[in-house]
Amino acid sequence: MIKYLDLQKINASFEPELSDALLRISRSGWYLHGEATARFEQEFADYCGTPHCIGTGNGLDALTLIFLAYRESGMMNAGDEVIVPANTYIATLLSILRTGLKPVLCEPSSETCNIDVAHAETLITPRTRAILPVHLYGRLADMQGVHDLATRYGLKVIEDAAQAHGAIYNDSLQGRENRSLRAGNLGDAAAFSFYPAKNLGALGDGGAITTHDATLAAIVRSIANYGSTEKYIHQYQGINSRLDELQATVLSVKLSRLDKDNARRREIARLYQENIHWSRLELRSTVNIGGINESNVFHIFPVFSSRRNELQRHLAAHNINTQIHYPIPPHHQEALKQEYGMQQLPITERIHNEELSLPIYPLLTNEEAGQIIDCINTFA
Ligand SMILES: *Cc1c(COP(=O)(O)O)cnc(C)c1O
Protein backbone atom coordinates (compact mmCIF):
# COMPACT_ATOMS: atom_id res chain seq x y z
CA MET A 1 0.00 0.00 0.00
CA ILE A 2 1.41 3.40 -0.97
CA LYS A 3 -0.04 6.06 1.28
CA TYR A 4 -0.84 9.52 -0.05
CA LEU A 5 1.08 10.94 2.90
CA ASP A 6 2.85 9.04 5.69
CA LEU A 7 3.08 11.45 8.63
CA GLN A 8 4.25 8.72 10.98
CA LYS A 9 7.24 8.02 8.75
CA ILE A 10 7.97 11.73 8.28
CA ASN A 11 7.91 12.53 11.99
CA ALA A 12 9.88 9.39 12.92
CA SER A 13 12.66 10.66 10.66
CA PHE A 14 13.16 13.62 13.03
CA GLU A 15 13.94 11.39 16.01
CA PRO A 16 15.48 11.54 18.54
CA GLU A 17 15.57 15.37 18.28
CA LEU A 18 11.78 15.64 18.14
CA SER A 19 11.08 13.67 21.33
CA ASP A 20 13.98 15.36 23.15
CA ALA A 21 12.56 18.78 22.27
CA LEU A 22 9.03 17.80 23.34
CA LEU A 23 10.26 16.39 26.63
CA ARG A 24 12.24 19.55 27.36
CA ILE A 25 9.07 21.65 27.00
CA SER A 26 6.87 19.24 28.94
CA ARG A 27 9.35 19.36 31.85
CA SER A 28 9.89 23.11 31.67
CA GLY A 29 6.58 24.10 33.27
CA TRP A 30 6.11 26.87 30.64
CA TYR A 31 3.71 26.18 27.75
CA LEU A 32 2.55 29.45 26.16
CA HIS A 33 4.28 32.70 25.13
CA GLY A 34 7.68 31.32 26.08
CA GLU A 35 11.19 30.95 24.75
CA ALA A 36 10.42 28.19 22.22
CA THR A 37 7.75 30.29 20.50
CA ALA A 38 9.94 33.41 20.48
CA ARG A 39 12.81 31.36 19.07
CA PHE A 40 10.74 29.79 16.31
CA GLU A 41 9.23 33.17 15.38
CA GLN A 42 12.75 34.59 15.00
CA GLU A 43 13.96 31.57 13.02
CA PHE A 44 10.98 31.62 10.67
CA ALA A 45 11.23 35.40 10.18
CA ASP A 46 14.93 35.00 9.30
CA TYR A 47 14.11 32.09 6.99
CA CYS A 48 11.46 34.07 5.11
CA GLY A 49 13.53 37.26 5.21
CA THR A 50 10.98 39.39 7.07
CA PRO A 51 11.67 41.40 10.23
CA HIS A 52 8.46 40.15 11.88
CA CYS A 53 6.83 36.78 12.47
CA ILE A 54 3.89 36.22 14.82
CA GLY A 55 2.86 32.67 15.72
CA THR A 56 -0.88 31.90 15.68
CA GLY A 57 -3.17 29.00 16.54
CA ASN A 58 -3.65 27.93 12.90
CA GLY A 59 -3.60 29.15 9.31
CA LEU A 60 -7.19 30.43 9.26
CA ASP A 61 -6.44 32.60 12.30
CA ALA A 62 -3.28 33.92 10.62
CA LEU A 63 -5.29 35.11 7.61
CA THR A 64 -8.11 36.42 9.80
CA LEU A 65 -5.73 38.34 12.08
CA ILE A 66 -4.22 40.18 9.12
CA PHE A 67 -7.68 41.45 8.09
CA LEU A 68 -8.69 42.19 11.70
CA ALA A 69 -5.56 44.33 12.04
CA TYR A 70 -6.31 46.23 8.83
CA ARG A 71 -9.86 46.78 10.13
CA GLU A 72 -8.61 48.06 13.49
CA SER A 73 -6.11 50.39 11.84
CA GLY A 74 -8.90 51.84 9.69
CA MET A 75 -7.23 50.78 6.45
CA MET A 76 -10.15 48.52 5.62
CA ASN A 77 -13.82 48.98 6.46
CA ALA A 78 -16.85 46.70 6.54
CA GLY A 79 -17.94 45.81 3.01
CA ASP A 80 -14.58 46.57 1.40
CA GLU A 81 -13.58 44.10 -1.27
CA VAL A 82 -10.74 41.61 -1.43
CA ILE A 83 -9.93 39.88 -4.73
CA VAL A 84 -9.17 36.21 -4.18
CA PRO A 85 -8.83 33.16 -6.43
CA ALA A 86 -12.07 31.16 -6.67
CA ASN A 87 -10.13 27.85 -6.61
CA THR A 88 -8.78 27.72 -3.09
CA TYR A 89 -9.40 26.04 0.21
CA ILE A 90 -12.45 27.59 1.90
CA ALA A 91 -10.32 29.02 4.75
CA THR A 92 -9.03 31.75 2.44
CA LEU A 93 -12.58 33.01 1.85
CA LEU A 94 -13.74 32.56 5.44
CA SER A 95 -10.99 34.85 6.75
CA ILE A 96 -12.34 37.65 4.55
CA LEU A 97 -16.00 37.02 5.40
CA ARG A 98 -15.30 36.72 9.13
CA THR A 99 -13.80 40.18 9.22
CA GLY A 100 -16.78 41.86 7.53
CA LEU A 101 -15.04 42.19 4.16
CA LYS A 102 -16.27 40.91 0.83
CA PRO A 103 -14.43 38.22 -1.16
CA VAL A 104 -14.53 38.87 -4.91
CA LEU A 105 -13.88 35.57 -6.66
CA CYS A 106 -11.34 35.61 -9.46
CA GLU A 107 -10.79 32.84 -12.01
CA PRO A 108 -7.29 31.33 -12.06
CA SER A 109 -5.04 30.81 -15.04
CA SER A 110 -5.85 27.33 -16.35
CA GLU A 111 -2.11 26.77 -16.93
CA THR A 112 -0.82 27.54 -13.42
CA CYS A 113 -4.03 27.30 -11.34
CA ASN A 114 -2.92 30.54 -9.66
CA ILE A 115 -4.74 33.88 -9.80
CA ASP A 116 -5.11 35.37 -13.28
CA VAL A 117 -3.95 38.95 -12.81
CA ALA A 118 -5.48 40.21 -16.06
CA HIS A 119 -8.85 38.88 -14.94
CA ALA A 120 -8.33 40.32 -11.45
CA GLU A 121 -8.01 43.78 -12.97
CA THR A 122 -11.50 43.50 -14.47
CA LEU A 123 -12.89 42.93 -10.95
CA ILE A 124 -11.51 46.10 -9.39
CA THR A 125 -14.09 48.59 -8.06
CA PRO A 126 -13.79 51.73 -5.89
CA ARG A 127 -14.20 49.44 -2.86
CA THR A 128 -11.32 47.07 -3.68
CA ARG A 129 -8.72 47.24 -0.91
CA ALA A 130 -6.62 44.12 -1.28
CA ILE A 131 -5.63 41.20 -3.45
CA LEU A 132 -4.99 37.84 -1.87
CA PRO A 133 -2.94 35.48 -4.05
CA VAL A 134 -2.84 31.85 -2.92
CA HIS A 135 0.36 29.99 -3.82
CA LEU A 136 -1.71 26.95 -4.72
CA TYR A 137 -0.16 23.46 -4.65
CA GLY A 138 3.16 25.04 -3.55
CA ARG A 139 3.70 27.11 -6.68
CA LEU A 140 4.22 30.85 -6.30
CA ALA A 141 1.65 33.10 -7.93
CA ASP A 142 2.64 35.71 -10.54
CA MET A 143 3.78 38.17 -7.89
CA GLN A 144 5.22 40.73 -10.31
CA GLY A 145 1.81 40.92 -11.97
CA VAL A 146 0.09 41.13 -8.59
CA HIS A 147 2.43 43.92 -7.49
CA ASP A 148 1.98 45.95 -10.64
CA LEU A 149 -1.78 45.75 -10.19
CA ALA A 150 -1.59 46.57 -6.47
CA THR A 151 0.64 49.57 -7.11
CA ARG A 152 -1.62 50.92 -9.85
CA TYR A 153 -4.79 50.67 -7.75
CA GLY A 154 -3.35 51.19 -4.24
CA LEU A 155 -4.16 47.69 -2.96
CA LYS A 156 -2.64 45.68 -0.12
CA VAL A 157 -1.11 42.35 -1.12
CA ILE A 158 -1.75 39.50 1.30
CA GLU A 159 -0.22 36.11 0.53
CA ASP A 160 -1.92 32.87 1.48
CA ALA A 161 1.34 30.94 1.82
CA ALA A 162 -0.20 27.95 3.62
CA GLN A 163 1.01 25.60 0.85
CA ALA A 164 4.30 27.28 -0.06
CA HIS A 165 6.76 27.30 2.88
CA GLY A 166 10.20 27.96 1.46
CA ALA A 167 9.31 28.70 -2.17
CA ILE A 168 11.63 31.28 -3.76
CA TYR A 169 10.52 33.79 -6.39
CA ASN A 170 12.83 33.39 -9.40
CA ASP A 171 12.53 36.77 -11.00
CA SER A 172 13.36 40.00 -9.30
CA LEU A 173 10.39 41.89 -7.92
CA GLN A 174 10.45 45.53 -8.84
CA GLY A 175 11.05 47.77 -5.82
CA ARG A 176 12.27 44.83 -3.72
CA GLU A 177 15.69 44.26 -5.22
CA ASN A 178 17.40 43.87 -1.87
CA ARG A 179 15.06 41.36 -0.38
CA SER A 180 15.20 37.63 -0.05
CA LEU A 181 12.24 36.64 -2.16
CA ARG A 182 10.72 33.73 -0.32
CA ALA A 183 7.01 33.08 0.16
CA GLY A 184 5.98 35.18 3.13
CA ASN A 185 8.10 38.08 1.92
CA LEU A 186 6.37 38.83 -1.37
CA GLY A 187 3.56 41.12 -0.23
CA ASP A 188 2.45 43.40 2.61
CA ALA A 189 1.69 40.44 4.88
CA ALA A 190 1.51 36.67 4.59
CA ALA A 191 -0.27 33.85 6.37
CA PHE A 192 1.15 30.35 6.92
CA SER A 193 -0.43 27.18 8.25
CA PHE A 194 1.53 24.48 10.07
CA TYR A 195 -1.26 21.91 9.82
CA PRO A 196 0.48 18.51 10.10
CA ALA A 197 0.24 17.75 6.36
CA LYS A 198 1.82 21.02 5.16
CA ASN A 199 5.42 21.19 3.94
CA LEU A 200 6.32 22.49 7.41
CA GLY A 201 3.89 20.71 9.70
CA ALA A 202 3.38 20.68 13.47
CA LEU A 203 2.01 17.81 15.59
CA GLY A 204 -1.33 19.57 15.72
CA ASP A 205 -2.47 23.07 14.78
CA GLY A 206 -0.24 26.07 14.23
CA GLY A 207 0.14 29.10 12.00
CA ALA A 208 2.10 32.32 11.52
CA ILE A 209 2.03 35.75 9.97
CA THR A 210 5.12 37.27 8.40
CA THR A 211 5.43 40.93 7.42
CA HIS A 212 7.77 43.90 6.96
CA ASP A 213 5.15 46.23 8.42
CA ALA A 214 6.04 46.91 12.08
CA THR A 215 2.72 48.64 12.81
CA LEU A 216 0.71 45.77 11.38
CA ALA A 217 2.86 43.25 13.28
CA ALA A 218 2.23 45.02 16.59
CA ILE A 219 -1.55 45.19 16.05
CA VAL A 220 -1.68 41.53 14.97
CA ARG A 221 0.29 40.44 18.04
CA SER A 222 -2.05 42.37 20.29
CA ILE A 223 -5.29 41.15 18.67
CA ALA A 224 -4.04 37.54 18.82
CA ASN A 225 -3.58 38.05 22.58
CA TYR A 226 -7.09 39.26 23.53
CA GLY A 227 -6.25 42.74 22.23
CA SER A 228 -3.66 43.20 24.93
CA THR A 229 0.02 44.08 25.00
CA GLU A 230 0.11 44.76 28.72
CA LYS A 231 -1.48 42.25 31.08
CA TYR A 232 -5.14 43.11 31.84
CA ILE A 233 -5.07 46.18 29.56
CA HIS A 234 -7.14 45.60 26.40
CA GLN A 235 -6.92 47.98 23.49
CA TYR A 236 -8.83 45.85 20.96
CA GLN A 237 -11.66 43.32 21.06
CA GLY A 238 -9.13 40.62 20.39
CA ILE A 239 -9.16 36.87 20.02
CA ASN A 240 -7.08 34.10 21.56
CA SER A 241 -4.81 32.55 18.96
CA ARG A 242 -1.38 31.34 19.93
CA LEU A 243 1.29 29.02 18.68
CA ASP A 244 2.10 26.99 21.79
CA GLU A 245 5.53 26.02 23.08
CA LEU A 246 5.22 22.34 22.14
CA GLN A 247 4.30 23.09 18.52
CA ALA A 248 6.92 25.83 18.27
CA THR A 249 9.72 23.52 19.36
CA VAL A 250 8.56 20.85 16.89
CA LEU A 251 8.60 23.46 14.13
CA SER A 252 12.14 24.58 15.02
CA VAL A 253 13.36 20.99 14.68
CA LYS A 254 11.55 20.53 11.36
CA LEU A 255 12.45 23.93 9.87
CA SER A 256 16.12 22.92 9.85
CA ARG A 257 15.34 20.34 7.15
CA LEU A 258 12.69 22.21 5.15
CA ASP A 259 14.90 23.17 2.19
CA LYS A 260 16.17 19.61 1.88
CA ASP A 261 12.63 18.22 2.10
CA ASN A 262 11.41 20.65 -0.57
CA ALA A 263 14.33 19.66 -2.82
CA ARG A 264 13.33 16.00 -2.40
CA ARG A 265 9.74 16.90 -3.39
CA ARG A 266 11.13 18.46 -6.57
CA GLU A 267 13.13 15.27 -7.29
CA ILE A 268 9.93 13.22 -7.12
CA ALA A 269 8.14 15.80 -9.29
CA ARG A 270 10.89 15.40 -11.87
CA LEU A 271 10.44 11.62 -11.88
CA TYR A 272 6.73 12.09 -12.53
CA GLN A 273 7.27 14.78 -15.13
CA GLU A 274 9.84 12.77 -17.09
CA ASN A 275 8.25 9.33 -16.92
CA ILE A 276 4.49 9.72 -17.08
CA HIS A 277 3.24 9.33 -20.67
CA TRP A 278 1.44 12.65 -20.68
CA SER A 279 0.39 12.84 -24.29
CA ARG A 280 -0.75 9.24 -24.65
CA LEU A 281 -2.97 9.56 -21.60
CA GLU A 282 -4.24 13.06 -22.41
CA LEU A 283 -3.23 13.94 -18.90
CA ARG A 284 -2.22 17.47 -18.12
CA SER A 285 -0.17 18.91 -15.31
CA THR A 286 0.56 22.47 -14.26
CA VAL A 287 4.10 21.19 -13.73
CA ASN A 288 4.67 21.08 -17.45
CA ILE A 289 4.31 24.87 -17.53
CA GLY A 290 7.29 26.82 -16.20
CA GLY A 291 9.39 23.81 -15.29
CA ILE A 292 10.59 22.50 -11.95
CA ASN A 293 12.54 24.99 -9.87
CA GLU A 294 12.65 26.68 -6.47
CA SER A 295 9.49 28.71 -7.10
CA ASN A 296 7.53 25.48 -6.59
CA VAL A 297 7.79 23.48 -3.36
CA PHE A 298 5.28 20.86 -4.55
CA HIS A 299 2.98 20.78 -1.56
CA ILE A 300 0.84 18.88 -4.05
CA PHE A 301 1.60 17.21 -7.38
CA PRO A 302 -1.59 17.76 -9.39
CA VAL A 303 -2.53 15.97 -12.59
CA PHE A 304 -5.66 16.78 -14.56
CA SER A 305 -7.86 14.41 -16.51
CA SER A 306 -11.42 14.36 -17.78
CA ARG A 307 -11.35 10.75 -16.49
CA ARG A 308 -10.08 11.72 -13.06
CA ASN A 309 -12.43 9.48 -11.04
CA GLU A 310 -11.61 6.43 -13.16
CA LEU A 311 -7.88 7.13 -12.81
CA GLN A 312 -8.24 7.45 -9.05
CA ARG A 313 -10.08 4.10 -8.91
CA HIS A 314 -7.43 2.46 -11.12
CA LEU A 315 -4.66 3.62 -8.77
CA ALA A 316 -6.65 2.58 -5.69
CA ALA A 317 -7.14 -0.88 -7.18
CA HIS A 318 -3.34 -1.10 -7.28
CA ASN A 319 -3.03 0.03 -3.64
CA ILE A 320 -2.00 3.59 -4.44
CA ASN A 321 -3.76 6.32 -2.48
CA THR A 322 -4.40 9.71 -4.03
CA GLN A 323 -6.41 12.77 -3.03
CA ILE A 324 -8.45 15.48 -4.74
CA HIS A 325 -7.74 19.17 -4.06
CA TYR A 326 -10.57 20.01 -3.92
CA PRO A 327 -13.68 18.02 -4.88
CA ILE A 328 -16.14 20.94 -4.53
CA PRO A 329 -15.20 24.57 -5.25
CA PRO A 330 -15.99 27.08 -2.48
CA HIS A 331 -18.79 28.81 -4.46
CA HIS A 332 -20.69 25.50 -4.68
CA GLN A 333 -20.37 24.74 -0.96
CA GLU A 334 -23.57 24.88 1.08
CA ALA A 335 -21.93 27.52 3.30
CA LEU A 336 -21.38 29.96 0.41
CA LYS A 337 -23.96 28.88 -2.16
CA GLN A 338 -26.47 31.58 -1.35
CA GLU A 339 -24.08 34.43 -2.09
CA TYR A 340 -21.79 32.90 -4.70
CA GLY A 341 -23.58 29.84 -6.10
CA MET A 342 -24.89 31.53 -9.25
CA GLN A 343 -21.47 32.74 -10.41
CA GLN A 344 -20.10 31.22 -13.60
CA LEU A 345 -16.52 30.13 -12.92
CA PRO A 346 -15.78 27.53 -15.61
CA ILE A 347 -11.99 27.34 -15.13
CA THR A 348 -12.38 26.88 -11.37
CA GLU A 349 -15.09 24.25 -11.86
CA ARG A 350 -13.01 22.34 -14.39
CA ILE A 351 -10.04 22.24 -11.99
CA HIS A 352 -12.24 20.80 -9.26
CA ASN A 353 -13.68 18.22 -11.66
CA GLU A 354 -10.35 17.10 -13.12
CA GLU A 355 -7.67 17.45 -10.42
CA LEU A 356 -5.97 14.41 -8.86
CA SER A 357 -3.05 14.70 -6.41
CA LEU A 358 -0.31 12.06 -6.56
CA PRO A 359 1.74 11.15 -3.45
CA ILE A 360 4.79 13.46 -3.18
CA TYR A 361 5.89 13.59 0.46
CA PRO A 362 9.70 13.74 0.94
CA LEU A 363 10.04 10.18 2.27
CA LEU A 364 8.29 8.58 -0.70
CA THR A 365 10.96 6.34 -2.27
CA ASN A 366 12.03 6.35 -5.92
CA GLU A 367 10.77 2.79 -6.10
CA GLU A 368 7.31 3.84 -4.91
CA ALA A 369 7.29 6.75 -7.36
CA GLY A 370 8.20 4.24 -10.08
CA GLN A 371 5.27 2.01 -9.14
CA ILE A 372 2.93 5.00 -9.29
CA ILE A 373 4.27 6.00 -12.71
CA ASP A 374 3.93 2.45 -14.07
CA CYS A 375 0.40 2.22 -12.76
CA ILE A 376 -0.60 5.52 -14.39
CA ASN A 377 1.00 4.49 -17.69
CA THR A 378 -1.02 1.27 -17.77
CA PHE A 379 -4.28 3.20 -17.37
CA ALA A 380 -6.00 2.71 -20.69
C1 LIG B 1 -4.24 24.67 5.00
C2 LIG B 1 -4.71 25.90 4.35
C3 LIG B 1 -5.29 26.96 5.08
C4 LIG B 1 -5.74 26.85 6.50
O1 LIG B 1 -4.84 26.41 7.43
P1 LIG B 1 -5.33 25.79 8.83
O2 LIG B 1 -4.06 25.74 9.62
O3 LIG B 1 -5.90 24.46 8.54
O4 LIG B 1 -6.33 26.73 9.42
C5 LIG B 1 -5.56 28.14 4.40
N1 LIG B 1 -5.32 28.27 3.10
C6 LIG B 1 -4.81 27.28 2.36
C7 LIG B 1 -4.56 27.51 0.90
C8 LIG B 1 -4.50 26.05 2.96
O5 LIG B 1 -3.99 25.06 2.20
Side-chain angles (χ1 to χ4, degrees):
M1 168 70 82
I2 300 178
K3 290 186 179 174
Y4 176 71
L5 173 68
D6 191 339
L7 284 176
Q8 199 173 30
K9 195 170 166 189
I10 289 175
N11 289 325
S13 74
F14 288 97
E15 293 298 353
E17 289 80 4
L18 199 58
S19 291
D20 290 350
L22 287 167
L23 200 59
R24 216 174 309 124
I25 300 295
S26 104
R27 287 178 174 163
S28 74
W30 196 276
Y31 307 110
L32 292 165
H33 286 164
E35 280 170 21
T37 305
R39 188 177 131 209
F40 173 71
E41 286 177 340
Q42 186 62 55
E43 287 170 354
F44 198 61
D46 292 345
Y47 178 80
C48 295
T50 57
H52 308 285
C53 170
I54 303 104
T56 63
N58 55 61
L60 172 61
D61 282 359
L63 282 163
T64 306
L65 281 158
I66 292 169
F67 289 115
L68 285 172
Y70 281 129
R71 289 289 313 270
E72 288 290 354
S73 67
M75 294 174 90
M76 293 180 196
N77 296 301
D80 282 348
E81 295 170 2
V82 179
I83 297 176
V84 60
N87 61 319
T88 182
Y89 184 58
I90 196 167
T92 320
L93 305 186
L94 292 178
S95 70
I96 302 168
L97 288 162
R98 271 292 137 74
T99 47
L101 303 169
K102 188 179 162 204
V104 175
L105 305 187
C106 182
E107 284 270 69
S109 141
S110 59
E111 295 201 323
T112 65
C113 292
N114 279 333
I115 194 159
D116 178 343
V117 176
H119 185 62
E121 184 162 15
T122 68
L123 302 173
I124 288 176
T125 76
R127 298 227 51 185
T128 310
R129 292 291 171 273
I131 179 163
L132 201 177
V134 180
H135 305 308
L136 199 72
Y137 306 147
R139 177 201 196 102
L140 292 180
D142 165 17
M143 294 308 289
Q144 185 65 62
V146 167
H147 269 277
D148 291 346
L149 193 69
T151 307
R152 246 179 304 136
Y153 293 93
L155 312 178
K156 292 289 180 196
V157 175
I158 296 136
E159 301 173 73
D160 182 338
Q163 302 189 358
H165 318 71
I168 299 173
Y169 199 67
N170 288 326
D171 310 313
S172 63
L173 260 187
Q174 225 164 30
R176 304 192 166 208
E177 281 76 12
N178 299 319
R179 281 201 193 178
S180 130
L181 292 176
R182 273 196 205 268
N185 193 14
L186 304 173
D188 293 291
F192 287 91
S193 163
F194 304 121
Y195 179 79
K198 306 290 187 188
N199 289 36
L200 180 60
L203 304 184
D205 275 318
I209 291 149
T210 54
T211 181
H212 270 258
D213 184 337
T215 308
L216 183 76
I219 301 173
V220 160
R221 197 175 280 288
S222 172
I223 295 175
N225 183 35
Y226 287 112
S228 167
T229 39
E230 196 183 327
K231 203 164 188 184
Y232 303 130
I233 308 292
H234 301 271
Q235 191 178 353
Y236 308 105
Q237 294 178 10
I239 64 172
N240 171 11
S241 184
R242 7 190 204 224
L243 183 65
D244 68 59
E245 291 281 287
L246 283 167
Q247 300 306 338
T249 202
V250 166
L251 292 168
S252 283
V253 170
K254 294 181 78 172
L255 178 61
S256 64
R257 220 179 70 195
L258 178 59
D259 283 341
K260 213 171 139 225
D261 284 346
N262 284 341
R264 172 63 190 154
R265 286 174 183 269
R266 280 190 287 271
E267 258 174 42
I268 299 165
R270 203 173 297 282
L271 289 175
Y272 286 146
Q273 186 197 31
E274 289 174 357
N275 296 297
I276 290 173
H277 298 163
W278 299 101
S279 52
R280 186 180 70 78
L281 295 167
E282 290 180 20
L283 269 182
R284 290 170 295 117
S285 175
T286 49
V287 183
N288 295 326
I289 312 295
I292 294 173
N293 55 56
E294 287 179 316
S295 69
N296 195 337
V297 292
F298 289 95
H299 175 57
I300 281 165
F301 189 96
V303 301
F304 300 86
S305 166
S306 53
R307 294 163 64 202
R308 185 264 312 275
N309 294 345
E310 269 178 86
L311 177 58
Q312 184 173 41
R313 278 196 298 273
H314 171 74
L315 288 163
H318 292 83
N319 293 318
I320 296 164
N321 280 334
T322 55
Q323 287 192 6
I324 293 170
H325 295 94
Y326 300 91
I328 304 170
H331 68 290
H332 286 167
Q333 296 286 352
E334 195 62 39
L336 300 175
K337 229 157 68 182
Q338 206 160 347
E339 263 179 281
Y340 294 93
M342 62 299 181
Q343 292 195 11
Q344 297 294 311
L345 298 160
I347 299 174
T348 296
E349 285 157 25
R350 185 165 175 202
I351 289 170
H352 289 77
N353 287 330
E354 298 196 344
E355 197 275 346
L356 186 69
S357 306
L358 303 182
I360 193 161
Y361 66 97
L363 285 148
L364 191 79
T365 64
N366 285 0
E367 195 191 350
E368 287 170 323
Q371 285 173 39
I372 295 165
I373 291 161
D374 290 345
C375 190
I376 291 174
N377 288 342
T378 57
F379 175 63

